[in-house]
Amino acid sequence: MTALTDRPPPEERARRRVTSVEVLCAVLLVAVLVQGWVRDALDVPALRTGATVFVAVCVQALPFLVLGVLVSGAIAAFVPARVLRKVLPRRTAAAVGVAGLAGVALPGCECASVPVARRLLGQGVAPAAALTFLLAAPAVNPVVLVATAVAFPGRPEMVLARFLGSLATAVVMGLLWARWGKLEWIVDRALRRLPESGPGGARWRTFAEIARADLVEAGGFLVLGALISAALNVLAPQSWFDALGGQWVLGVLVMAVLAVVLALCSEADAFVAASLTALPLLPKLVFLVVGPAVDVKLFALQAGTFGRSFAVRFAPVTFVVAVCCALAVGLPLLGGAR
C-alpha cells in the first residue's frame, strides 16, 4: 500500500515529458547498436573520412566541455557576485583590468557569462567591469587554454596568442564602454538587484540545473560544429583551403565570419579550428578570438538579457575589436606559420 500511495497522481505522470538529455542518450545508444550496419551500408571513403573527423572533434572536445559547464555551474551556484564587487578597484580603468584577469580564475562558457554579468550589474559592479568579465571569462580561463594546447600540440605560441588576443579584446571593450557607453542602452530589468542562491540543497539544485542546461545547449553546438567541420573537410575542395591559405586577408575574414555563424562553445572551438589543417595559424587565431566574444548565440542572449539597443551596438564593435586584437597579437607571434 505504501508503494502505491507514494506514486504521483496520474495527471502528474501524464504531464511528464521526455527531456532532451533522454533523447540524446537514446540517439547515442541507437548509434552504438547500428554503427556496424551503417558502416557496411555506407562504405564510401568520403563518408568514412567525414565520420572520422566528426568523432575525433567530439571525443577530443567533450571532456573539456563537461569540465567547463561543471565549473560554470559551480560559480553560478556557490560564488556570490558580491565577492567580485568587493575585490574590484574603484577606478574604472583598474577595475576593467582586474575584471579581465578575473576571467582566468573564474572560468565559464559564453552562455554562463551573460547571466553572471547581469548578476554583477545587479550587485552594483560598474558596467565596464561587468562587460569586461563577460568577454574574458569564456576566453582566457584555464579550461579553454588547456583545450587549445591539446588541440595544437607543440604550439605554445598559439595558446599565448589566444590568451593575449582575447584578454586585449575584453579590456579594450571595457575601456570603450567606460568612455562612450551609456547606461540607458541597458534595459532596467538587467540592472535590478538579483537574489542570491538559497542555502544548502537549493545551491546544489541550482548547480545541477545550470550544469545540465549548459551541457545540453553547448553540446548541441559542439555536435553542429563537428558536423560542419567534417563537411568542410569532405565537401569543400582542397583548392578552396589552399586559396585561403595563400590569401591570409580573405582567410581571416572567412574565419571571423565563420566564428560568428558557428557559435561554438569556447571549450570546443579549438578542436574544430585545428581540424582545418590547410589554413595557417593566423586565421585560426582570429576564429578562436572572435568566437567567444561575439556570435549569433551570444547576440541573442545579450539582446534578451540587456536589451536589443545594447546588443546592436555592443556586438558589431566587439567583432571589429576582436579581429583587430587577434591580428595585432597574431602577426608578431604567428606570422605565416601553419
Side-chain angles (χ1 to χ4, degrees), residues 69-332:
V69 299
L70 289 177
V71 172
S72 65
I75 290 172
F78 301 109
V79 180
R82 62 175 179 272
V83 173
L84 270 181
R85 181 166 55 90
K86 291 180 179 179
V87 302
L88 289 176
R90 293 183 178 274
R91 292 181 59 246
T92 302
V96 166
V98 172
L101 293 175
V104 179
L106 297 175
C109 68
E110 297 93 323
C111 303
S113 66
V114 174
V116 171
R118 180 191 176 186
R119 181 176 287 275
L120 292 176
L121 290 175
Q123 291 288 349
V125 173
L131 296 177
T132 301
F133 180 80
L134 181 149
L135 296 175
V140 301
N141 67 72
V143 177
V144 169
L145 297 180
V146 171
T148 305
V150 174
F152 293 91
R155 291 288 188 177
E157 67 275 14
M158 189 67 173
V159 181
L160 178 61
R162 179 173 194 178
F163 173 80
L164 294 177
S166 298
L167 182 61
T169 300
V171 171
V172 169
M173 285 302 300
L175 294 176
L176 289 176
W177 178 271
R179 178 64 179 86
W180 287 288
K182 297 180 180 179
L183 204 58
E184 55 263 29
W185 293 344
I186 302 177
V187 294
D188 292 338
R189 66 175 181 273
L191 301 175
R192 288 198 296 267
R193 188 177 182 87
L194 298 175
E196 297 288 346
S197 299
R203 291 183 180 273
W204 283 106
R205 285 193 298 271
T206 300
F207 165 74
E209 291 172 2
I210 291 177
R212 181 189 60 80
D214 285 351
L215 179 60
V216 172
E217 182 173 4
F221 288 108
L222 169 60
V223 171
L224 176 61
L227 285 173
I228 295 177
S229 177
L232 288 175
N233 277 274
V234 173
L235 301 178
Q238 185 64 32
S239 58
W240 291 8
F241 294 104
D242 293 338
L244 292 179
Q247 303 180 18
W248 69 270
V249 175
L250 180 60
V252 164
L253 293 177
V254 170
M255 291 300 286
V257 174
L258 199 62
V260 175
V261 175
L262 289 185
L264 297 177
C265 183
S266 58
E267 285 91 357
D269 57 0
F271 298 97
V272 175
S275 68
L276 304 176
T277 55
L279 291 177
L281 291 182
L282 186 60
K284 296 179 183 179
L285 175 64
V286 173
F287 178 85
L288 298 180
V289 173
V290 172
V294 54
D295 57 38
V296 291
K297 166 174 53 69
L298 278 175
F299 179 84
L301 289 172
Q302 291 172 5
T305 303
F306 303 114
R308 186 177 300 177
S309 181
F310 167 85
V312 297
R313 292 174 171 87
F314 191 76
V317 178
T318 303
F319 178 82
V320 175
V321 170
V323 172
C324 293
C325 288
L327 293 177
V329 171
L331 285 173

